[in-house]
Amino acid sequence: MNPIKRIGIILSVVFLIPVLFFSVYEISSLTKDERMIENIYQKQLEAILFSVNQYSDNTLSGWISKVESDYATHGNSGSLSEPMQLLLANTAIQMSFIIDTVEQRPTLKAFSFDSLRADSLRKPIETALSQNSSQIQQLIKYKRSGFQKAESIEAGWQRDEKFQLIIFIIESASGSHVAGLVINLENFIEDQIGPRLQIISKDQFILTAYNKKKNVTVYSTELRDTTSMNAALLTKDLWIFPDYALGIRTKGASLKQIVRERTTTNFILLVGLDVVLVVALILAFRSVKREVQLAQNKSDFVANVSHEIRTPLALISMFAETLELGRVKTEEKKQEYYSIISKETHRLTGIVNKILNFSQAEAGKKTLRIEEVSLQLEIREILKTYDFHLKNKGFEYYFHESQEVNVKADKAALTEIIINLIDNAIKYSGDKKRIEIQLSTELDAGVLAIKDFGLGISKENQKHIFDKFYRVSSGNLANSQGTGLGLSLVKQLIEQQNGRITVNSELGKGSTFLLYLPLVK
Ligand code: ADP
């Protein structure tokens, strides 16, 4: 397998997959946690409201027991002071009453500090009792089986909703008696439930009692609380007074909000971490890929260069030996051999120079002398020197001198760049032996285009040809000689002169290398 692919697979198996897996797991459990916390919280709120209801029930039971015990000790003949004491101690009790049978007739005996009110309530109570006789029978049954149950029943004064009629049964030697309490609900909530709510709220919760019918707040642990029932996180009816409800909500940010915020923060952190990790992995992979590629190119380079050097060396030593042994008879042949030796020596020198230039440029040891250079004159000069070489190789060349372009550049470096590009054009032109050179300007850059009509470069290879040691290793190009240093050197040199190089190329149609250099205004 390709080593780069392998590294990619290893990186993703070792880091990416476990982390992504973990993240997905965490994110899915975040919502689960959130739901669980909410659930627990809801239960807790329910428990709180339950305890308040329980407390109200207990209070009421206490009162009922008191009425029962008063009756047991004093009976219908008893003094008035006992029931009145209960009323005195609890302003929420508007009135208490008991139905006694006096001279064969059931009579409602009422106790109240407000006798006027008591008189006005008497009739509606009697009506309510007669309308709820089946309920009363039920209560008697309960009582006989030893269970004291109180019941809220509707009475005709319901227009004045703050009074609630509660009935229960008292057993005595003379039989079962219906007894009851008329409770002022607002007072009950204020005096009994209120202090309880205050204790529970403890700066954490806001507890509220509502009148459900009117949808108004009748009591709240928060001063001047005017919120409606909807604001509460949870509401429960008051068991004994079904028209009223208790509500609870948190002070400050609600737990739901806090949990939601935490979940969101955790979520963002997790996703952020994943993104960072993925980016880091991509970067790591890229740099590893680059290193592997470079190592590969380098080893290709060594093989290439050895080959490039061996060929001229072999030729030189062969012809030199032949000459040395005096086996060459004619002067003409000797001249031919000399010229081969000289040509191959030049080639060797060229290769060595290229390597030296490259390593100098790479180490940044090449100091450039930037001056005003006329591209036109520069190219003319190079072409003059190269004319023989180009024609000898069968090339036609055209220089379109439409305009004069002066740039800031180092002459020697520029010459080296242009020669490299022309050399490449010659090497990679195949049978289409034509080179065109053109000058132009673009914004504040002078542009030099060197165009060939040869083999061209694929899009994929265009990305790499400026890398050091890179050579196209497939197709027709594989056989041509080279070091893979030329374009890398060109790029370094042009960038040192504040310029840049780009390439336009199509496989099979040729390539245009464009050099941009800062214009002299
Ligand atoms: P070298 O020519 O020594 O191989 P270079 O750095 O000069 O190294 O070029 C890198 C690669 O770019 C070459 O191997 C070649 O495949 C491709 N290349 C460069 N110039 C041209 C061109 N004018 N036409 C087609 N391919 C080219």
Side-chain angles (χ1 to χ4, degrees):
M1 195 196 292
N2 169 336
I4 295 171
K5 237 186 212 161
R6 201 170 49 219
I7 289 167
I9 292 173
I10 291 174
L11 279 179
S12 43
V13 168
V14 174
F15 294 105
L16 207 54
I17 293 177
V19 171
L20 289 184
F21 187 79
F22 174 75
S23 303
V24 169
Y25 174 78
E26 272 299 299
I27 287 169
S28 66
S29 65
L30 272 180
T31 43
K32 228 188 284 166
D33 287 353
E34 188 185 357
R35 230 175 297 131
M36 200 159 79
I37 293 174
E38 255 181 57
N39 232 332
I40 294 172
Y41 187 63
Q42 190 77 6
K43 292 250 159 65
Q44 207 183 341
L45 296 186
E46 267 172 32
I48 291 173
L49 294 188
F50 185 91
S51 79
V52 177
N53 254 327
Q54 189 93 54
Y55 176 80
S56 320
D57 257 23
N58 288 347
T59 307
L60 193 67
S61 302
W63 292 346
I64 292 173
S65 307
K66 179 82 172 69
V67 173
E68 256 185 314
S69 71
D70 287 349
Y71 190 77
T73 36
H74 303 287
N76 55 7
S77 58
S79 76
L80 280 179
S81 76
E82 300 282 344
M84 294 312 274
Q85 258 166 28
L86 178 66
L87 265 68
L88 191 64
N90 300 287
T91 49
I93 307 176
Q94 177 68 33
M95 127 181 198
S96 77
F97 67 87
I98 183 156
I99 311 286
D100 252 339
T101 311
V102 181
E103 292 163 4
Q104 309 295 321
R105 259 189 47 216
T107 322
L108 189 145
K109 211 164 156 190
F111 306 95
S112 174
F113 285 111
D114 185 348
S115 54
L116 231 62
R117 170 87 72 184
D119 283 342
S120 75
L121 295 180
R122 183 181 292 269
K123 195 89 198 126
I125 291 175
E126 281 169 352
T127 320
L129 291 181
S130 65
Q131 279 169 353
N132 288 282
S133 55
S134 66
Q135 241 159 322
I136 292 169
Q137 289 312 314
Q138 197 66 39
L139 288 178
I140 293 173
K141 228 189 255 167
Y142 281 136
K143 181 67 190 166
R144 291 203 175 141
S145 56
F147 174 50
Q148 178 60 285
K149 192 171 186 312
E151 192 89 53
S152 298
I153 59 172
E154 293 242 341
W157 66 74
Q158 288 305 327
R159 220 175 296 279
D160 191 356
E161 281 143 5
K162 66 180 185 185
F163 292 124
Q164 175 71 50
L165 172 59
I166 305 269
I167 57 166
F168 50 94
I169 304 296
I170 292 176
E171 287 286 345
S172 77
S174 56
S176 306
H177 304 268
V178 176
L181 296 170
V182 174
I183 293 183
N184 180 330
L185 290 182
E186 279 167 19
N187 288 356
F188 184 85
I189 289 170
E190 187 79 33
D191 303 345
Q192 305 297 327
I193 298 183
R196 189 78 201 158
L197 297 184
Q198 287 293 358
I199 293 171
I200 295 169
S201 85
K202 268 200 241 127
D203 284 340
Q204 272 186 45
F205 302 108
I206 298 171
L207 285 144
T208 322
Y210 306 99
N211 179 328
K212 280 198 319 189
K213 275 194 181 154
K214 293 188 190 155
N215 194 15
V216 291
T217 302
V218 288
Y219 181 88
S220 175
T221 53
E222 186 85 338
L223 275 177
R224 284 184 286 281
D225 183 8
T226 51
T227 53
S228 72
M229 257 173 91
N230 305 339
L233 285 177
L234 179 73
T235 58
K236 286 278 171 213
D237 286 352
L238 263 176
W239 295 340
I240 40 172
F241 312 124
D243 287 345
Y244 285 73
L246 294 170
I248 188 165
R249 61 186 205 271
T250 34
K251 254 189 180 159
S254 74
L255 185 93
K256 209 172 180 147
Q257 265 168 310
I258 295 168
V259 172
R260 173 88 7 107
E261 262 164 36
R262 265 196 81 89
T263 309
T264 317
T265 323
N266 284 345
F267 181 81
I268 291 172
L269 277 178
L270 265 173
V271 172
L273 262 172
D274 284 351
V275 170
V276 169
L277 185 88
V278 169
V279 170
L281 272 181
I282 291 173
L283 290 180
F285 178 70
R286 276 225 202 132
S287 89
V288 168
K289 186 174 152 186
R290 214 174 299 132
E291 289 303 317
V292 170
Q293 190 79 55
L294 190 63
Q296 181 75 43
N297 291 349
K298 246 181 201 162
S299 76
D300 290 353
F301 167 76
V302 172
N304 270 330
V305 169
S306 317
H307 177 77
E308 290 255 304
I309 292 177
R310 210 180 308 132
T311 319
L313 274 182
L315 287 173
I316 291 168
S317 85
M318 186 178 86
F319 288 110
E321 259 172 49
T322 317
L323 286 168
E324 195 181 29
L325 291 173
R327 285 193 192 143
V328 190
K329 298 286 172 293
T330 64
E331 200 53 35
E332 208 175 291
K333 263 281 180 247
K334 274 185 191 165
Q335 277 309 319
E336 190 191 331
Y337 287 3
Y338 287 140
S339 84
I340 290 177
I341 290 174
S342 154
K343 206 177 94 195
E344 293 305 315
T345 316
H346 272 115
R347 223 171 104 186
L348 268 181
T349 316
I351 295 169
V352 172
N353 278 346
K354 208 173 204 174
I355 296 171
L356 281 179
N357 276 340
F358 173 80
S359 73
Q360 265 184 344
E362 194 178 39
K365 282 190 190 143
K366 237 186 154 92
T367 42
L368 302 183
R369 209 165 63 89
I370 306 286
E371 58 187 330
E372 183 173 341
V373 177
S374 159
L375 282 179
Q376 204 181 17
L377 294 182
E378 183 71 14
I379 290 165
R380 261 194 232 153
E381 219 162 284
I382 293 173
L383 288 178
K384 214 192 278 169
T385 328
Y386 250 61
D387 182 70
F388 176 75
H389 185 61
L390 282 165
K391 293 212 167 121
N392 197 27
K393 292 246 170 199
F395 272 83
E396 304 183 295
Y397 63 88
Y398 298 90
F399 178 32
H400 307 281
E401 298 183 52
S402 51
Q403 70 189 115
E404 195 172 321
V405 180
N406 293 329
V407 293
K408 288 180 230 161
D410 174 285
K411 249 190 172 164
L414 190 59
T415 310
E416 179 142 18
I417 291 170
I418 297 170
I419 289 177
N420 256 297
L421 293 177
I422 293 178
D423 269 345
N424 276 351
I426 295 172
K427 261 200 292 188
Y428 303 112
S429 269
D431 303 330
K432 309 232 180 54
K433 299 183 180 225
R434 179 190 171 92
I435 295 172
E436 287 182 18
I437 299 174
Q438 189 160 22
L439 287 180
S440 60
T441 57
E442 200 181 293
L443 298 173
D444 45 5
V447 188
L448 166 60
I450 298 176
K451 183 171 185 175
D452 67 59
F453 300 85
L455 308 174
I457 308 161
S458 71
K459 279 268 168 296
E460 181 53 33
N461 281 321
Q462 285 177 29
K463 285 190 226 157
H464 301 295
I465 52 172
F466 296 104
D467 294 350
K468 52 189 166 188
F469 309 124
Y470 188 85
R471 303 200 69 223
V472 176
S473 54
S474 61
N476 304 347
L477 302 184
N479 306 326
S480 61
Q481 294 165 336
T483 55
L485 292 181
L487 287 181
S488 164
L489 174 68
V490 164
K491 188 167 150 66
Q492 279 185 30
L493 288 178
I494 192 94
E495 282 174 0
Q496 278 174 23
Q497 297 171 78
N498 303 318
R500 64 194 167 92
I501 181 168
T502 61
V503 63
N504 290 327
S505 183
E506 201 176 321
L507 214 51
K509 297 220 169 128
S511 316
T512 307
F513 284 86
L514 294 158
L515 289 171
Y516 296 80
L517 280 162
L519 263 184
V520 176
K521 300 248 169 67

